[in-house]
Amino acid sequence: MKYLLILCAFLFSFTASEPMRVFLIGDSTMADKVSADFPETGWGMPFASFFNEAVEVQNHAYNGRSTKSFRREGRWAKVFNQIKKGDYVLIQFGHNDAKVSDTSRYAPAQTDFRENLVRYVRETRSKGGIPILLTPTQRRKFDSTGVFVDQHADYPAVVREVAKAEKVLLIDIEKESKKYIAAEGPEGAKKMFLHYPAGIFKKFSKGVADDTHFSPFGAKKIASLVAEGILASNEHLRSFLQKSSFSQKYVFELPNVATTAFKKDTFNIVSYGAVSSASKLNTSAIQQAIDIAAKQGGGVVRVPAGFFVTGAITLRSNINFHLDAGAVLQFSADAAQYPLVRTNWEGVDAIRAQSPITAIGERNIAITGSGIIDGNGEAWRPVKKGKLTPGEWDKLVRSGGVLDDKKDTWYPTERALKGSKMDQPGVIAAGFTEAKAEEIKEFLRPNMISLRECEQILLEGVTFQNSPAWNVHPLLCKHLTVENITVKNPWFAQNGDGIDIESCEYVSVRNSKFDVGDDGICLKSGKDAEGRKRGRPSAHIAIENCVVFHGHGGVVVGSEMSGGVHDLFVSNCQFLGTDVGLRFKTARGRGGVVENVYIQDISMKNISGEAILFDMYYQGKDPVATFGNGDETPKIESKPVDAGTPQFKNIFVDRVVAKGAETGLLVRGLPEMPIHHIYLSNLDIEAKQSYRVIEATDVQLSNANFTQTGDKKPELINVKRWKLNAQ
């Protein structure tokens, strides 16, 4: 009994371990905000989400405080009295210490400010706590020539000196935020701060231009810089940073996409003369509504329920183009409504018909709602006889248009047929001018939605269908959010891609459905020498909870990837009847590097070709034929490595289930540039041939189960460091 009592006392003397605590002390750039302050956000608010449940973050930062006033008001005492051994205290001041006119806050950099920092550090240590010093965040300020202007005087330097003297971890936010703000430039940097027109947020009903305090995006950016500094340190705190669902990455490393915000003012296109009709052209009325709204600071341009026919229209900054439920915006079949313009096609500069919806260099734009945008693509697209039933083919031929010499491809006009016989039709480098392009205008099919060099874009809720060429094409854009859209094209639509994200950065595609005639969700970055010269990768892209019902590929990278693709995150997607599931394609001459790709939780069914494909011999053909890309087996020969040699590397694929495919995994690299460092885990794939791997290095499959339903044996050809661990 005695021993039992001792044992019980021993056991009950222990309590549940307390969480590691992180105290934040500083000013308004760090502080928590109340809901009425939105969108103003202190960086301490998202910072807490970057740690796992074993960490408690207490944000004691407060608006307007300096090292002096924070202590004088008793705020430091509240923190100091709680500190226990192993707790961390992050200390960031400087903005308000510099306020010479306010004696309650002013602390000269070289004297009081320095002494106050030293006291915070030493007092933290006296309780067994661990101090971390942060330099103050930069403000957005540029001179008339666009050169960044520093406003912090000696304060950051003093923080650095104190950190060095006291042997404290320094996270140099001043340096890193300056680097980012300067790189973004005067306009791009606005998204970090509070720059909003009147009429959007209650607190800032008259508008706001604040270059000190952060937007939600800016706060998360600074919090990520702090987390990055912790990860790079030797502090124990780094082990508590929250891993994302992608095991190789932390939460703070995932793409941070800046969102849109619009005035509530509404401009109904009917008020400007638009009429619901099967034939009336409403181009001028719709464009007038957009232009007037833009001149008044933006707002919602509303397309009400009804059927509205229009020609090409152009979006402007701060416009939310909104289609009500029951609204159909049908683009005219008349090619004259789409003037020839200099643009970009399949990665090269070209002359094409203007897209039905265009935005160039605009900021804060959206297409939202529940309506339908129809591109009238049948007026533009050629159709191959082999893709229709005999009855469908006869009906199409009787409708008009012309056939090619072989009588197996239909074109809508003689000009479209003429273009099909030309070399590099419409390509500016091939000598095409607007006059020459006019002779083949219908061949120069436009992409339906063309967004070029725009920033902060939202596509939400709308159905985009029946495009002349690609459906949605953001090019050289930043901060694009795609949410809950539906993209549809006939399965036989030539170049009928769903969305082609080209040379874009910071993109989120979520909860969307694609049923198209070519690639479903595609990442590109320019073609060959022109793409390499442009040098703009597609990067920091998240694709989540999407379904592709039909298409040449589910999620596709390439083949125009000459500017590179990196930091791509794909999760929880389903491919149901696509030709290929995960499709990575390129060819000699492209150049560019595809790397740091993270894919997980993919389900596939009825894949005509490969479930997972990495191919450096793309031939521009439908991918359902032999060997992944066409009827011809390419000649395998080694060539010198040069600027046109592409690379696929550092690709992680986890948790894939595929029921029914021609080939489970096809990896086909170049002799001079094998595909390398590919990691696939937790695969359950049913296919006629399990895998075929050619010219590859460091390919690792773990917990991989292949159920082979055909006679072709798995193949390894010129593969080094191959590792397969089955279930």
Side-chain angles (χ1 to χ4, degrees):
M1 187 67 179
K2 176 181 178 183
Y3 293 112
L4 180 61
L5 291 173
I6 294 172
L7 178 61
C8 290
F10 176 78
L11 290 174
F12 285 101
S13 67
F14 289 92
T15 59
S17 59
E18 294 184 356
M20 172 175 285
R21 294 183 300 179
V22 177
F23 298 95
L24 307 182
I25 67 170
D27 55 33
S28 58
T29 62
M30 179 193 276
D32 287 344
K33 313 294 177 182
V34 299
S35 58
D37 289 334
F38 190 80
E40 183 178 345
T41 309
W43 69 254
M45 297 167 71
F47 182 71
S49 67
F50 293 162
F51 292 92
N52 62 32
E53 66 280 356
V55 172
E56 175 191 330
V57 176
Q58 291 189 20
N59 191 352
H60 292 264
Y62 203 78
N63 292 6
R65 272 35 185 193
S66 66
T67 56
K68 181 179 180 180
S69 61
F70 193 86
R71 180 182 292 274
R72 178 177 53 80
E73 294 173 1
R75 300 181 186 279
W76 171 241
K78 185 177 179 181
V79 174
F80 179 76
N81 291 335
Q82 295 186 68
I83 297 174
K84 295 181 179 178
K85 185 177 181 180
D87 289 342
Y88 282 84
V89 180
L90 274 62
I91 305 160
Q92 184 187 50
F93 291 99
H95 282 170
N96 299 297
D97 291 81
K99 296 186 180 297
V100 178
S101 61
D102 187 344
T103 57
S104 67
R105 292 188 285 178
Y106 177 53
Q110 297 296 347
T111 53
D112 293 359
F113 180 69
R114 182 188 298 273
E115 292 167 6
N116 290 339
L117 289 180
V118 171
R119 286 185 66 189
Y120 284 126
V121 167
R122 293 179 179 177
E123 289 173 10
T124 297
R125 283 175 167 164
S126 73
K127 298 288 291 289
I130 304 165
I132 297 176
L133 285 173
L134 290 76
T135 50
T137 60
Q138 279 287 1
R139 298 180 175 95
R140 173 191 165 274
K141 185 170 184 180
F142 295 84
D143 66 19
S144 59
T145 66
V147 175
F148 179 83
V149 177
D150 176 65
Q151 296 180 281
H152 282 323
D154 292 340
Y155 289 90
V158 169
V159 178
R160 296 182 189 107
E161 290 165 7
V162 171
K164 183 177 181 180
E166 297 294 319
K167 295 181 173 56
V168 173
L169 173 63
L170 171 74
I171 301 179
D172 203 340
I173 297 303
E174 186 269 344
K175 177 183 176 182
E176 296 303 318
S177 60
K178 175 181 177 180
K179 186 188 304 181
Y180 180 80
I181 294 167
E184 287 292 303
E187 283 301 311
K190 285 182 178 179
K191 63 180 171 289
M192 277 196 68
F193 299 94
L194 299 177
H195 280 262
Y196 299 101
I200 299 178
F201 301 107
K202 185 175 181 180
K203 180 177 180 178
F204 305 107
S205 59
K206 296 182 179 180
V208 60
D210 180 341
D211 292 316
T212 297
H213 298 100
F214 299 123
S215 66
F217 167 79
K220 192 172 182 181
K221 177 65 181 177
I222 298 300
S224 296
L225 293 176
V226 178
E228 187 177 309
I230 291 169
L231 181 62
S233 75
N234 293 320
E235 291 293 343
H236 183 49
L237 183 59
R238 71 191 300 273
S239 63
F240 294 91
L241 287 166
Q242 178 69 47
K243 281 291 187 76
S244 74
S245 61
F246 300 92
S247 60
Q248 303 85 2
K249 288 288 180 178
Y250 292 92
V251 168
F252 77 87
E253 294 179 297
L254 299 183
N256 178 18
V257 182
T259 57
T260 53
F262 301 97
K263 292 175 64 175
K264 296 177 177 61
D265 297 3
T266 300
F267 302 78
N268 192 320
I269 63 170
V270 173
S271 301
Y272 296 87
V275 176
S276 176
S277 163
S279 57
K280 178 176 171 56
L281 198 64
N282 293 293
T283 313
S284 60
I286 296 172
Q287 193 63 58
Q288 185 180 21
I290 292 170
D291 293 344
I292 289 174
K295 288 179 181 178
Q296 295 183 18
V300 179
V301 172
R302 178 183 167 212
V303 182
F307 192 97
F308 298 91
V309 179
T310 182
I313 59 176
T314 302
L315 294 184
R316 309 292 185 200
S317 293
N318 301 312
I319 296 299
N320 178 2
F321 191 70
H322 183 87
L323 289 86
D324 286 356
V328 176
L329 189 68
Q330 165 81 67
F331 286 95
S332 170
D334 180 9
Q337 300 300 317
Y338 309 92
L340 291 169
V341 295
R342 295 190 173 225
T343 182
N344 193 276
W345 170 247
E346 292 190 328
V348 299
D349 292 334
I351 297 169
R352 310 287 293 186
Q354 181 175 326
S355 291
I357 296 181
T358 301
I360 301 175
E362 305 296 340
R363 183 180 299 273
N364 194 43
I365 58 175
I367 303 174
T368 67
S370 304
I372 297 170
I373 295 177
D374 188 291
N376 218 335
E378 63 269 19
W380 298 87
R381 293 189 304 263
V383 180
K384 294 179 179 180
K385 182 178 181 179
K387 292 192 172 184
L388 300 182
T389 66
E392 290 170 335
W393 178 253
D394 289 343
K395 182 179 179 180
L396 178 63
V397 172
R398 288 197 305 271
S399 72
V402 295
L403 298 178
D404 66 354
D405 295 339
K406 294 181 179 180
K407 307 299 181 183
D408 63 0
T409 304
W410 175 90
Y411 290 87
T413 67
E414 289 283 357
R415 293 197 296 187
L417 175 60
K418 182 178 179 180
S420 72
K421 299 177 180 179
M422 290 185 173
D423 183 40
Q424 296 181 286
V427 175
I428 293 170
F432 273 83
T433 62
E434 283 78 1
K436 187 176 179 181
E438 186 69 33
E439 300 174 6
I440 58 169
K441 185 172 184 180
E442 285 81 9
F443 184 81
L444 303 175
R445 296 174 285 145
N447 298 329
M448 189 167 78
I449 311 295
S450 177
L451 309 172
R452 183 168 184 169
E453 298 182 272
C454 297
E455 187 160 339
Q456 288 175 260
I457 307 156
L458 172 65
L459 305 177
E460 183 178 36
V462 174
T463 294
F464 301 92
Q465 69 175 35
N466 198 19
S467 58
W470 297 346
N471 214 310
V472 180
H473 182 214
L475 169 64
L476 295 164
C477 293
K478 289 184 176 182
H479 298 281
L480 165 66
T481 299
V482 178
E483 179 77 30
N484 195 32
I485 67 169
T486 299
V487 182
K488 297 173 63 178
N489 266 333
W491 78 270
F492 54 80
Q494 299 260 105
N495 307 109
D497 295 28
I499 184 169
D500 290 272
I501 300 164
E502 182 175 355
S503 293
C504 295
E505 295 181 88
Y506 303 101
V507 178
S508 172
V509 181
R510 299 178 69 250
N511 304 319
S512 296
K513 297 179 175 64
F514 301 83
D515 192 345
V516 295
D518 207 311
D519 291 328
I521 305 170
C522 193
L523 289 304
K524 301 176 180 288
S525 61
K527 184 176 181 180
D528 300 343
E530 284 193 35
R532 297 195 298 274
K533 183 178 179 181
R534 179 202 291 168
R536 290 279 298 275
S538 280
H540 309 292
I541 296 169
I543 300 168
E544 182 180 6
N545 298 334
C546 291
V547 182
V548 183
F549 291 101
H550 183 274
H552 287 342
V555 170
V556 181
V557 175
S559 70
E560 303 91 21
M561 40 66 67
S562 302
V565 176
H566 66 85
D567 291 284
L568 168 63
F569 302 85
V570 182
S571 63
N572 195 27
C573 292
Q574 298 82 47
F575 311 140
L576 307 174
T578 58
D579 295 345
V580 177
L582 298 167
R583 187 183 188 195
F584 291 72
K585 53 179 178 173
T586 188
R588 286 190 178 105
R590 293 284 193 265
V593 180
V594 175
E595 63 181 337
N596 301 336
V597 175
Y598 309 89
I599 301 172
Q600 65 184 26
D601 298 314
I602 306 297
S603 298
M604 309 184 201
K605 182 182 178 183
N606 296 338
I607 305 300
S608 303
E610 296 79 17
I612 304 172
L613 171 68
F614 300 97
D615 188 21
M616 290 185 160
Y617 284 93
Y618 177 66
Q619 301 171 36
K621 300 182 181 181
D622 288 354
V624 295
T626 305
F627 222 150
N629 275 319
D631 299 323
E632 301 174 6
T633 299
K635 184 178 180 181
I636 307 295
E637 59 180 351
S638 183
K639 294 188 176 182
V641 174
D642 58 22
T645 305
Q647 287 193 63
F648 290 159
K649 64 178 182 178
N650 297 335
I651 298 173
F652 304 83
V653 181
D654 187 28
R655 300 191 296 275
V656 173
V657 176
K659 183 173 179 58
E662 185 68 25
T663 307
L665 169 66
L666 174 58
V667 179
R668 188 166 56 169
L670 302 172
E672 68 273 18
M673 184 57 68
I675 294 171
H676 59 100
H677 292 94
I678 308 296
Y679 305 93
L680 303 103
S681 56
N682 300 305
L683 307 182
D684 188 355
I685 297 177
E686 176 191 278
K688 291 181 180 179
Q689 184 182 26
S690 297
Y691 53 83
R692 181 175 172 84
V693 182
I694 306 165
E695 301 293 351
T697 302
D698 293 301
V699 179
Q700 180 174 310
L701 285 73
S702 60
N703 197 26
N705 178 44
F706 291 96
T707 302
Q708 186 154 316
T709 60
D711 298 330
K712 286 186 178 180
K713 294 182 179 180
E715 295 178 81
L716 297 176
I717 303 172
N718 294 335
V719 179
K720 297 178 181 178
R721 292 188 292 280
W722 161 269
K723 185 177 181 181
L724 169 61
N725 292 323
Q727 289 182 349

